[in-house]
Amino acid sequence: MKTKSSAKVSAKWIPIFSICFFFLGMMFTNKFWGHLDSDNQLITQRRREQELQIIAEDCNSEKKKAGDQDKNVINEVYKAHESIQKLDKSISMLQMELSESRRALERGRRMNVSSVMSNEGTPRKKAFMVIGINTAFSSRKRRDSVRETWMPQGEQLRRLEEEKGIVVRFMIGHSATSNSILDRALDSEESQHKDFLRLDHIEGYHELSAKTKIFFTTAVAKWDADFYVKVDDDVHVNLGTLAATLARHRSKPRVYIGCMKSGPVLAQKPILHKYANEDVSLGSWFIGLEIEHIDDRNMCCSTPPDCEWKAQAGSMCVASFDWSCSGICKSVEKMKFVHERCSEGEEALWNALL
């Protein structure tokens, strides 16, 4: 019984042991968490150092890129400056060449004007266009039908030439017999109307190609014009529309404008071959030359209702005729009718911008 009682711990030691164990626990806990806090601080510091290193590397990379971009910009600016300098030199050289070309062209023009004389020995007159209306001795009524419709007369014809530079003449040669009755009749008509261009050519239907060639030669010798026009006396023409059409091509050095009715003409010999049709001959003469061919369908409208419908639609025809006749069929009787239906109006000619 005494042995069991001696093995028991006295109750007074229990509080003492509790206090001791409490302090031991506190010491152990503080040491453990202090070690953890220290480790966490080390990890946080290393992480910050890594982040700062990454940021520094990014900044260095951006600075390097910015530096490269600055170098590229400077190089581009330098190249652009060199290009501008070269361009300035090229422009200066072109301006000098252009000025010299203009002076040479002006000298050439003065020489041409002074050297090319008309049959009367006077310098050529400046004109915008010279229109030759092909006619024959037997076509007096045709000429009158043209005079009564689209061709100005008297003072208006003179004013048209002086103010607009538009010359309109009936072109005709002479008979095979000198001073024949045909020539005298033509002399009388010319004294009345003063609208003829007399050619050094013997009239004949089968000589139309030669007549056309002589017309252009005579017209060029007499007038210094931008355009030379050939038309027949059985075709209706709107002069204002014709002038406006040609004015659009005025800046072109060599141009052949017309209604290419039969397509291209092929010539096998490098000569001015004369075909039966004078228009075919004219087209063939321009082959091989540096001339721009322009096919303008408004230069070959049909008679009413075709030209009338186009006029109402705002597309005024330059010339109108019947395809089956290569001119207006029975033009003496029909010219006035076509003019009433397809004319541009009197003011169109005087208001045309050339």
Side-chain angles (χ1 to χ4, degrees), residues 97 108 190 236:
E97 293 177 0
E190 182 178 8
H236 181 270

Side-chain angles (χ1 to χ4, degrees), residues 164-176:
K164 291 291 187 178
I166 299 176
V167 180
V168 187
R169 297 286 190 275
F170 288 105
M171 60 169 175
I172 194 168
H174 55 81
S175 64

Side-chain angles (χ1 to χ4, degrees), residues 174-187:
H174 55 81
S175 64
T177 304
S178 178
N179 198 28
S180 68
I181 187 173
L182 296 175
D183 293 318
R184 291 197 300 271
L186 197 64
D187 292 339

Side-chain angles (χ1 to χ4, degrees), residues 111-171:
M111 291 177 63
N112 289 336
V113 170
S114 61
S115 61
V116 179
M117 299 291 181
S118 66
N119 293 332
E120 290 77 18
T122 57
R124 295 189 302 170
K125 295 180 180 179
K126 184 64 180 175
F128 171 64
M129 66 175 174
V130 176
I131 303 174
I133 306 174
N134 186 29
T135 190
F137 286 117
S138 59
S139 300
R140 172 62 189 265
K141 290 184 178 181
R142 282 189 177 185
R143 292 192 291 273
D144 287 339
S145 69
V146 171
R147 292 180 179 122
E148 293 168 0
T149 52
W150 61 267
M151 180 180 178
Q153 287 296 292
E155 180 62 23
Q156 294 295 315
L157 187 65
R158 185 193 63 80
R159 179 188 165 201
L160 183 65
E161 183 173 341
E162 292 182 354
E163 295 184 9
K164 291 291 187 178
I166 299 176
V167 180
V168 187
R169 297 286 190 275
F170 288 105
M171 60 169 175

